[in-house]
Amino acid sequence: MSSRGDRMVQAMRLRGMTKQHALAFAIGVNESTVTRWKNDGPMSVEHAVMLCTALDISLDWFLTGAGPIDAPRPQVAPPCSESGFLASMRQADTALSEQSKLLLAAFIQSIVTKQQGL
């Protein structure tokens, strides 16, 4: 199994980032820090997340080598049909406090007003 440093180098190559200083700049660390990571030196969770974001890679893959290299894509909700919207509003009506309902109604009204150009 490859080391974390090997996976970092692999991801850099895959993403066309051939220079360590480019990655260091993208994350906001010194180039020596990237060199240390490349040699499997200590790394904070925050820096691991920033590195994975900069390289668009999976944190699981980077840390453990398990799973696909590509970062998971956010699930996009399917377009909401009118009946789905109304069902959601019915659920909100039973789940929300009166104050929350008033705020939600005001928010929706502000969107509708803006859309109508009023």
Side-chain angles (χ1 to χ4, degrees), residues 4-14 17 20 38:
R4 188 185 72 223
D6 292 337
R7 288 188 294 276
M8 182 180 79
V9 171
Q10 180 184 352
M12 287 175 66
R13 278 193 201 116
L14 183 67
M17 192 172 286
Q20 283 183 194
K38 190 172 154 181

Side-chain angles (χ1 to χ4, degrees), residues 7-116:
R7 288 188 294 276
M8 182 180 79
V9 171
Q10 180 184 352
M12 287 175 66
R13 278 193 201 116
L14 183 67
R15 301 303 188 227
M17 192 172 286
T18 58
K19 303 291 182 187
Q20 283 183 194
H21 68 273
L23 180 59
F25 180 79
I27 298 173
V29 298
N30 292 323
E31 188 174 348
S32 62
T33 301
V34 175
T35 300
R36 187 173 60 244
W37 296 341
K38 190 172 154 181
N39 294 321
D40 295 315
M43 173 185 257
S44 70
V45 172
E46 179 183 3
H47 281 137
V49 169
M50 292 169 67
L51 180 138
C52 290
T53 300
L55 294 174
D56 193 27
I57 60 173
S58 163
L59 183 62
D60 289 340
W61 177 83
F62 175 64
L63 294 176
T64 68
I69 187 173
D70 291 320
R73 300 287 174 233
Q75 297 269 336
V76 177
C80 187
S81 67
E82 184 175 327
S83 61
F85 176 76
L86 293 176
S88 296
M89 293 308 294
R90 278 188 221 97
Q91 285 179 325
D93 186 49
T94 59
L96 296 175
S97 68
E98 288 304 314
Q99 178 67 20
S100 295
K101 290 177 194 176
L102 290 171
L103 290 170
L104 181 59
F107 173 72
I108 292 171
Q109 187 59 46
S110 71
I111 293 171
V112 169
T113 302
K114 191 172 194 168
Q115 289 291 326
Q116 293 173 346

